[in-house]
PDB file of all heavy atoms in Angstrom:
ATOM      1  N   ASP A 155       0.504   3.518  -9.588  1.00 93.00           N
ATOM      2  CA  ASP A 155       0.949   3.574 -10.975  1.00 93.00           C
ATOM      3  C   ASP A 155       0.852   2.207 -11.595  1.00 93.00           C
ATOM      4  O   ASP A 155       1.473   1.236 -11.073  1.00 93.00           O
ATOM      5  CB  ASP A 155       2.373   4.092 -11.083  1.00 93.00           C
ATOM      6  CG  ASP A 155       2.535   5.516 -10.537  1.00 93.00           C
ATOM      7  OD1 ASP A 155       2.592   5.685  -9.300  1.00 93.00           O
ATOM      8  OD2 ASP A 155       2.624   6.421 -11.376  1.00 93.00           O
ATOM      9  N   LEU A 156       0.177   2.075 -12.702  1.00 91.00           N
ATOM     10  CA  LEU A 156       0.274   0.859 -13.487  1.00 91.00           C
ATOM     11  C   LEU A 156       1.560   0.927 -14.313  1.00 91.00           C
ATOM     12  O   LEU A 156       2.061   2.003 -14.637  1.00 91.00           O
ATOM     13  CB  LEU A 156      -0.945   0.752 -14.443  1.00 91.00           C
ATOM     14  CG  LEU A 156      -2.182   0.064 -13.928  1.00 91.00           C
ATOM     15  CD1 LEU A 156      -1.905  -1.400 -13.601  1.00 91.00           C
ATOM     16  CD2 LEU A 156      -2.743   0.792 -12.702  1.00 91.00           C
ATOM     17  N   ALA A 157       2.087  -0.258 -14.649  1.00 87.00           N
ATOM     18  CA  ALA A 157       3.412  -0.336 -15.329  1.00 87.00           C
ATOM     19  C   ALA A 157       4.476   0.273 -14.427  1.00 87.00           C
ATOM     20  O   ALA A 157       4.808  -0.291 -13.421  1.00 87.00           O
ATOM     21  CB  ALA A 157       3.338   0.294 -16.713  1.00 87.00           C
ATOM     22  N   ASN A 158       4.969   1.458 -14.773  1.00 87.00           N
ATOM     23  CA  ASN A 158       6.089   2.053 -14.045  1.00 87.00           C
ATOM     24  C   ASN A 158       5.654   3.450 -13.499  1.00 87.00           C
ATOM     25  O   ASN A 158       4.898   4.137 -14.129  1.00 87.00           O
ATOM     26  CB  ASN A 158       7.320   2.232 -14.939  1.00 87.00           C
ATOM     27  CG  ASN A 158       7.785   0.948 -15.566  1.00 87.00           C
ATOM     28  OD1 ASN A 158       7.699  -0.094 -14.953  1.00 87.00           O
ATOM     29  ND2 ASN A 158       8.284   1.026 -16.793  1.00 87.00           N
ATOM     30  N   PRO A 159       6.265   3.821 -12.343  1.00 86.00           N
ATOM     31  CA  PRO A 159       6.118   5.235 -11.928  1.00 86.00           C
ATOM     32  C   PRO A 159       6.667   6.181 -12.977  1.00 86.00           C
ATOM     33  O   PRO A 159       7.586   5.807 -13.736  1.00 86.00           O
ATOM     34  CB  PRO A 159       6.930   5.296 -10.614  1.00 86.00           C
ATOM     35  CG  PRO A 159       6.982   3.871 -10.112  1.00 86.00           C
ATOM     36  CD  PRO A 159       7.018   3.027 -11.366  1.00 86.00           C
ATOM     37  N   GLN A 160       6.124   7.357 -13.015  1.00 81.00           N
ATOM     38  CA  GLN A 160       6.442   8.264 -14.154  1.00 81.00           C
ATOM     39  C   GLN A 160       7.728   9.074 -13.946  1.00 81.00           C
ATOM     40  O   GLN A 160       8.164   9.733 -14.870  1.00 81.00           O
ATOM     41  CB  GLN A 160       5.268   9.162 -14.393  1.00 81.00           C
ATOM     42  CG  GLN A 160       4.117   8.467 -15.014  1.00 81.00           C
ATOM     43  CD  GLN A 160       4.501   7.687 -16.259  1.00 81.00           C
ATOM     44  OE1 GLN A 160       4.666   8.226 -17.339  1.00 81.00           O
ATOM     45  NE2 GLN A 160       4.676   6.364 -16.148  1.00 81.00           N
ATOM     46  N   GLN A 161       8.346   9.076 -12.750  1.00 84.00           N
ATOM     47  CA  GLN A 161       9.650   9.755 -12.635  1.00 84.00           C
ATOM     48  C   GLN A 161      10.665   8.936 -13.363  1.00 84.00           C
ATOM     49  O   GLN A 161      10.748   7.719 -13.269  1.00 84.00           O
ATOM     50  CB  GLN A 161      10.049   9.843 -11.145  1.00 84.00           C
ATOM     51  CG  GLN A 161       9.003  10.526 -10.262  1.00 84.00           C
ATOM     52  CD  GLN A 161       8.095   9.497  -9.582  1.00 84.00           C
ATOM     53  OE1 GLN A 161       7.530   8.590 -10.211  1.00 84.00           O
ATOM     54  NE2 GLN A 161       7.974   9.620  -8.278  1.00 84.00           N
ATOM     55  N   VAL A 162      11.501   9.608 -14.124  1.00 86.00           N
ATOM     56  CA  VAL A 162      12.505   8.912 -14.900  1.00 86.00           C
ATOM     57  C   VAL A 162      13.658   8.436 -14.012  1.00 86.00           C
ATOM     58  O   VAL A 162      14.327   7.425 -14.326  1.00 86.00           O
ATOM     59  CB  VAL A 162      13.076   9.801 -16.024  1.00 86.00           C
ATOM     60  CG1 VAL A 162      13.889  10.954 -15.489  1.00 86.00           C
ATOM     61  CG2 VAL A 162      13.862   8.986 -17.049  1.00 86.00           C
ATOM     62  N   LEU A 163      13.910   9.137 -12.909  1.00 91.00           N
ATOM     63  CA  LEU A 163      15.001   8.805 -12.001  1.00 91.00           C
ATOM     64  C   LEU A 163      14.528   7.964 -10.863  1.00 91.00           C
ATOM     65  O   LEU A 163      13.975   8.530  -9.866  1.00 91.00           O
ATOM     66  CB  LEU A 163      15.714  10.077 -11.531  1.00 91.00           C
ATOM     67  CG  LEU A 163      17.076   9.880 -10.840  1.00 91.00           C
ATOM     68  CD1 LEU A 163      18.124   9.284 -11.798  1.00 91.00           C
ATOM     69  CD2 LEU A 163      17.583  11.212 -10.309  1.00 91.00           C
ATOM     70  N   LEU A 164      14.680   6.657 -10.949  1.00 93.00           N
ATOM     71  CA  LEU A 164      14.161   5.734  -9.956  1.00 93.00           C
ATOM     72  C   LEU A 164      15.121   4.563  -9.733  1.00 93.00           C
ATOM     73  O   LEU A 164      15.861   4.235 -10.686  1.00 93.00           O
ATOM     74  CB  LEU A 164      12.792   5.157 -10.396  1.00 93.00           C
ATOM     75  CG  LEU A 164      11.570   6.044 -10.288  1.00 93.00           C
ATOM     76  CD1 LEU A 164      10.379   5.354 -10.999  1.00 93.00           C
ATOM     77  CD2 LEU A 164      11.179   6.298  -8.847  1.00 93.00           C
ATOM     78  N   PRO A 165      15.067   3.915  -8.599  1.00 96.00           N
ATOM     79  CA  PRO A 165      15.816   2.666  -8.433  1.00 96.00           C
ATOM     80  C   PRO A 165      15.327   1.637  -9.486  1.00 96.00           C
ATOM     81  O   PRO A 165      14.145   1.623  -9.856  1.00 96.00           O
ATOM     82  CB  PRO A 165      15.481   2.184  -7.009  1.00 96.00           C
ATOM     83  CG  PRO A 165      15.089   3.472  -6.318  1.00 96.00           C
ATOM     84  CD  PRO A 165      14.406   4.293  -7.338  1.00 96.00           C
ATOM     85  N   ALA A 166      16.195   0.772  -9.920  1.00 95.00           N
ATOM     86  CA  ALA A 166      15.823  -0.237 -10.932  1.00 95.00           C
ATOM     87  C   ALA A 166      14.729  -1.165 -10.379  1.00 95.00           C
ATOM     88  O   ALA A 166      13.862  -1.675 -11.146  1.00 95.00           O
ATOM     89  CB  ALA A 166      17.059  -1.019 -11.341  1.00 95.00           C
ATOM     90  N   ARG A 167      14.765  -1.486  -9.103  1.00 95.00           N
ATOM     91  CA  ARG A 167      13.792  -2.345  -8.499  1.00 95.00           C
ATOM     92  C   ARG A 167      12.371  -1.861  -8.646  1.00 95.00           C
ATOM     93  O   ARG A 167      11.419  -2.663  -8.690  1.00 95.00           O
ATOM     94  CB  ARG A 167      14.124  -2.519  -7.038  1.00 95.00           C
ATOM     95  CG  ARG A 167      13.448  -3.708  -6.350  1.00 95.00           C
ATOM     96  CD  ARG A 167      13.978  -3.815  -4.933  1.00 95.00           C
ATOM     97  NE  ARG A 167      13.647  -5.106  -4.294  1.00 95.00           N
ATOM     98  CZ  ARG A 167      14.126  -5.511  -3.115  1.00 95.00           C
ATOM     99  NH1 ARG A 167      14.976  -4.693  -2.487  1.00 95.00           N
ATOM    100  NH2 ARG A 167      13.778  -6.638  -2.586  1.00 95.00           N
ATOM    101  N   ALA A 168      12.181  -0.560  -8.794  1.00 94.00           N
ATOM    102  CA  ALA A 168      10.839   0.026  -8.929  1.00 94.00           C
ATOM    103  C   ALA A 168      10.190  -0.375 -10.226  1.00 94.00           C
ATOM    104  O   ALA A 168       8.995  -0.300 -10.409  1.00 94.00           O
ATOM    105  CB  ALA A 168      10.891   1.556  -8.810  1.00 94.00           C
ATOM    106  N   TYR A 169      10.981  -0.823 -11.207  1.00 94.00           N
ATOM    107  CA  TYR A 169      10.481  -1.265 -12.482  1.00 94.00           C
ATOM    108  C   TYR A 169      10.099  -2.731 -12.538  1.00 94.00           C
ATOM    109  O   TYR A 169       9.660  -3.253 -13.567  1.00 94.00           O
ATOM    110  CB  TYR A 169      11.522  -0.971 -13.608  1.00 94.00           C
ATOM    111  CG  TYR A 169      11.766   0.490 -13.883  1.00 94.00           C
ATOM    112  CD1 TYR A 169      12.646   1.225 -13.110  1.00 94.00           C
ATOM    113  CD2 TYR A 169      11.092   1.121 -14.927  1.00 94.00           C
ATOM    114  CE1 TYR A 169      12.861   2.571 -13.371  1.00 94.00           C
ATOM    115  CE2 TYR A 169      11.334   2.449 -15.192  1.00 94.00           C
ATOM    116  CZ  TYR A 169      12.205   3.185 -14.416  1.00 94.00           C
ATOM    117  OH  TYR A 169      12.425   4.501 -14.680  1.00 94.00           O
ATOM    118  N   SER A 170      10.304  -3.455 -11.440  1.00 93.00           N
ATOM    119  CA  SER A 170      10.171  -4.930 -11.428  1.00 93.00           C
ATOM    120  C   SER A 170       8.780  -5.432 -11.117  1.00 93.00           C
ATOM    121  O   SER A 170       8.593  -6.635 -10.995  1.00 93.00           O
ATOM    122  CB  SER A 170      11.175  -5.524 -10.472  1.00 93.00           C
ATOM    123  OG  SER A 170      10.864  -5.124  -9.120  1.00 93.00           O
ATOM    124  N   SER A 171       7.805  -4.527 -10.965  1.00 92.00           N
ATOM    125  CA  SER A 171       6.445  -4.945 -10.549  1.00 92.00           C
ATOM    126  C   SER A 171       5.452  -4.568 -11.615  1.00 92.00           C
ATOM    127  O   SER A 171       5.668  -3.655 -12.423  1.00 92.00           O
ATOM    128  CB  SER A 171       6.038  -4.313  -9.232  1.00 92.00           C
ATOM    129  OG  SER A 171       6.995  -4.658  -8.184  1.00 92.00           O
ATOM    130  N   ALA A 172       4.298  -5.230 -11.580  1.00 92.00           N
ATOM    131  CA  ALA A 172       3.236  -4.921 -12.533  1.00 92.00           C
ATOM    132  C   ALA A 172       2.583  -3.568 -12.209  1.00 92.00           C
ATOM    133  O   ALA A 172       2.144  -2.844 -13.139  1.00 92.00           O
ATOM    134  CB  ALA A 172       2.164  -5.999 -12.496  1.00 92.00           C
TER     135      ALA A 172
END
Side-chain angles (χ1 to χ4, degrees):
D155 297 77
L156 272 296
N158 302 326
Q160 289 306 282
Q161 306 95 308
V162 69
L163 193 63
L164 284 171
R167 195 175 194 171
Y169 291 84
S170 64
S171 302

